Amino acid sequence: MSIATFDAAVVDDVIKVWGAKPGSIIPILQGIQEKYNYLPPETFPCVAKKLGVSEARIYGVATFYENFSLQPKGKFIIKVCDGTACHVRKSIPNLEKFRSILGLTEKKVTTDDLSFTVQTVACLGACSLAPAFMVQSKGIDDKVYANVTPDQVPVILDELKAKL
Ligand code: FES
């Protein structure tokens, strides 16, 4: 999987939907992120110019909201829950298993081939299924995996790799 090249026409299309006004910064950034799976660096000068606001303002919005990513993400985003219920039911060994198989760390969260991103979340709202994690991927429904143990992690990863 490679990173799509930035295209200002994508920004134009999103702006057409939401209007070239500062009040539309959030949906415009969401639209761009939907297309690229992250906000490419070219986003900031491009959107700033088209909306007539400073790059710093666009950047400020993008970095304020956790849902925006300034780094490319993998095709599969694995969100390992480390909320209280999952933590006490041993979510960390699952997280460590994902990281060790994929060669990831707390700082390096995406594989070089952009297949997987592994991150933690505070609670998936599925505490009775602890320890749980969610897999998200463009074009498929989010899937929550329940009561996971570390020995299930390689099997789940193999299933996901078969879909790459
Ligand atoms: S703490 Fe993990 S789903 Fe709530």
Side-chain angles (χ1 to χ4, degrees):
M1 195 177 156
S2 61
I3 302 175
T5 313
F6 183 81
D7 182 356
V10 168
V11 177
D12 287 335
D13 287 348
V14 176
I15 288 177
K16 249 182 240 157
V17 176
W18 295 103
K21 48 187 195 287
S24 300
I25 291 174
I26 291 174
I28 288 169
L29 293 181
Q30 282 170 332
I32 296 168
Q33 179 160 285
E34 229 166 75
K35 169 75 184 171
Y36 294 102
N37 225 3
Y38 83 115
L39 295 174
E42 296 92 335
T43 300
F44 303 102
C46 185
V47 174
K49 197 169 160 206
K50 290 176 191 290
L51 299 193
V53 300
S54 70
E55 270 184 56
R57 181 158 170 200
I58 308 288
Y59 190 79
V61 172
T63 51
F64 182 79
Y65 293 99
E66 242 182 46
N67 276 342
F68 289 123
S69 174
L70 275 54
Q71 301 296 327
K73 289 198 173 182
K75 177 174 165 53
F76 290 107
I77 300 170
I78 298 170
K79 295 185 171 178
V80 180
C81 182
D82 194 33
T84 307
C86 287
H87 188 86
V88 299
R89 298 186 74 177
K90 302 200 185 316
S91 56
I92 293 299
N94 290 336
L95 175 65
E96 285 170 346
K97 192 77 178 178
F98 276 118
R99 284 179 175 162
S100 77
I101 293 174
L102 297 171
L104 300 176
T105 63
E106 196 178 339
K107 288 214 167 77
K108 179 179 165 48
V109 299
T110 299
T111 56
D112 291 334
D113 65 357
L114 298 181
S115 295
F116 294 97
T117 293
V118 176
Q119 57 193 54
T120 56
V121 288
C123 179
L124 291 170
C127 306
S128 61
L129 307 176
F133 67 86
M134 177 187 278
V135 175
Q136 295 179 312
S137 186
K138 215 171 166 181
I140 61 168
D141 289 339
D142 296 351
K143 181 169 178 185
V144 174
Y145 291 77
N147 306 309
V148 183
T149 56
D151 56 336
Q152 292 173 308
V153 168
V155 180
I156 293 164
L157 273 178
D158 282 345
E159 284 170 11
L160 295 175
K161 280 177 188 166
K163 294 181 190 164
L164 283 170

